[in-house]
Amino acid sequence: MELKYRQAKTGKLMIDILPDKCDFCGCCVGVCPEDAIELKEAEIYIIDERCTNCAKCVWSCPIEVIKFNKNGVLF
Amino acid sequence: MKNEYDIIVVGAGPAGSMAARFAAEQGVSVLMLEKDRDVGYPVRCGEAISKAGVEEFIKVDSKWVAAEINKFSLNAPDGSEVIVEFGDAGYVLERRNFDYELARTAAEAGAEILTRAYVNDLLFENGKVSGVKHEYKGEQKEVKSKIVIAADGVESRVGRWAGLKTVTDFRDMESAVQITAANIPVDQNTLYFYFGQQVAPNGYFWIFPKGRNKANIGLGISGSVNKKKYAQYFLDEFMNKRFPDAPVLTKIAGGVPCSITLDKISGPGIMLVGDAARQVNPLSGGGIASGMIGGKIAGTIAGEAIKQNKPDHILTYDKAWNDRLGKRHETFNRIKEGIYNFSDDKFNNIAHSALKIPIEKRTLGKVFTTALINNPSLLIDIAKVFVV
């Protein structure tokens, strides 16, 4: 079976948010240069087509909820 | 709820509530939208505020005062403790009650409030912001307004949609984690700060008492540190070492934008306040009082603009903010840049020098002067913002 990867603006999406572990604090949204993160009261996700895999969200997350996965994120 | 208001405020934290209140007090129609179910919850904050910061806005009430503060305890990496005494410095708040009461003052002034309303886009007319789109209980809605005031916090996106430059450099974003714990036997009138590579590099660790040995405990570190070791681990290590058995009542992550204010905090039909405008004091990371001040200035000017039918009047907000606090924050930011990457040895030496100042003469200004004595250009900055 063929693996299907999510597509960012710059190729394979490599940013993976783990919503079950998230506190929805918004650090990542505050540093995202592309407005590529949607954050509601208790819901968070990457807007794939805007993301450039810059990883600033990964660096700013206080509780290790956002992972950089260089192999790409699967659907 | 109507389809159209003079002013829509996005976000019901302290900055949003004050913007809504000071606008509504002038008799204009105001709607405040909050994305969460509850105003005031969850709390992502150290909850400390100066007395003056509170009293400008609301009568002190035991409902939201967790502790009264009259001392700072500054702790160097080697364990040296520098106490700085104040007459009556401030409070540790119960933010979930405090924010609630601030929203009440906005409501009493005439503002309408809607929770669970998630703003996800702006409306435009002739290149000017003319309202918001929002999701409410799964339905997409539109509400028009002459002015939108974005008080949507560290995670603000509204300003960006209006064309303002709002992104915070990740190095200026203090990644934070915070708990409320019980059985923390510290002095209930002292704010404790801890510095150094072990506890919070490029930031600080805090223990702020909340009465009956409850405490707000946490830390903030620059994104440049957090990318190597997450804030979470610093908190776990500190607690395991000092209070391994303390029951934890709340635990949450947060972010504090510790920079100067955004270049532009107003535009056609749009104003930014509080964390959304990056109005946090970049040295202390405190943003409650400064956010309320930003909200008050913006709300007042927005109300005037509506009453006088002068849309361009809102563009005077940038200068009004800079005159009141923006320039001061630039000074604080220079001091922060001067000290944030001090080594542990440097912190220890500063503490040893500060301990030589007799306690009755020891002020924060003098402690900072001691810290930056070899950096004369910053001594003027210290004189500007501290009573030395």
Side-chain angles (χ1 to χ4, degrees), chain A residues 23 35 38 41 59-60 64, chain B residues 37 118 157 175 226 233 253:
Chain A
D23 277 352
D35 195 20
E38 191 72 49
E41 182 177 23
W59 302 336
S60 73
E64 205 178 0
Chain B
R37 284 168 173 75
Y118 173 62
R157 296 170 70 204
S175 302
N226 190 75
Y233 295 108

Side-chain angles (χ1 to χ4, degrees), chain B residues 66 70-71 135 152 174 205 240 299 318 369:
Chain B
N70 54 31
K71 281 202 260 334
E135 193 184 296
D152 51 334
E174 291 277 313
F205 195 105
N240 287 339
D318 287 64
T369 305

Side-chain angles (χ1 to χ4, degrees), chain B residues 75-78 80 82 195-197 335 337-354 367-376 378-379:
Chain B
N75 295 271
D78 68 359
S80 305
V82 178
F195 302 92
Q197 292 299 315
I335 297 172
E337 300 281 330
I339 61 171
Y340 81 109
N341 56 0
F342 276 177
S343 67
D344 282 4
D345 282 347
K346 180 87 184 173
F347 277 122
N348 294 334
N349 290 337
I350 294 162
H352 302 158
S353 302
V367 174
F368 275 106
T369 305
T370 308
L372 292 163
I373 199 79
N374 295 321
N375 197 339
L378 286 176
L379 294 179

Side-chain angles (χ1 to χ4, degrees), chain A residues 23-27 29-35 37-41 47 50 58-64, chain B residues 36-37 44 118 135 154-155 157 160-161 168 170 175-177 226-227 230-233 252-255 278:
Chain A
D23 277 352
F24 312 101
C25 75
C27 274
V29 182
V31 302
C32 175
E34 308 296 335
D35 195 20
I37 303 173
E38 191 72 49
L39 171 66
K40 302 185 187 181
E41 182 177 23
I47 304 166
R50 293 186 189 173
V58 180
W59 302 336
S60 73
C61 177
I63 55 175
E64 205 178 0
Chain B
D36 291 350
R37 284 168 173 75
R44 304 178 199 277
Y118 173 62
E135 193 184 296
V154 63
E155 69 268 44
R157 296 170 70 204
R160 184 182 335 216
W161 298 334
T168 292
F170 80 98
S175 302
V177 272
N226 190 75
K227 72 183 277 198
Y230 293 100
Q232 168 76 65
Y233 295 108
I252 203 154
R278 310 317 189 205

Side-chain angles (χ1 to χ4, degrees), chain A residues 16-29:
Chain A
D16 197 6
I17 302 185
L18 313 174
D20 292 350
K21 295 185 176 179
C22 184
D23 277 352
F24 312 101
C25 75
C27 274
C28 53
V29 182

Side-chain angles (χ1 to χ4, degrees), chain B residues 74 89 95 209 225 242 255 264 282 299 367 379:
Chain B
L74 309 171
R95 272 285 302 272
V225 174
R242 309 243 183 166
K264 273 187 76 175
V367 174
L379 294 179

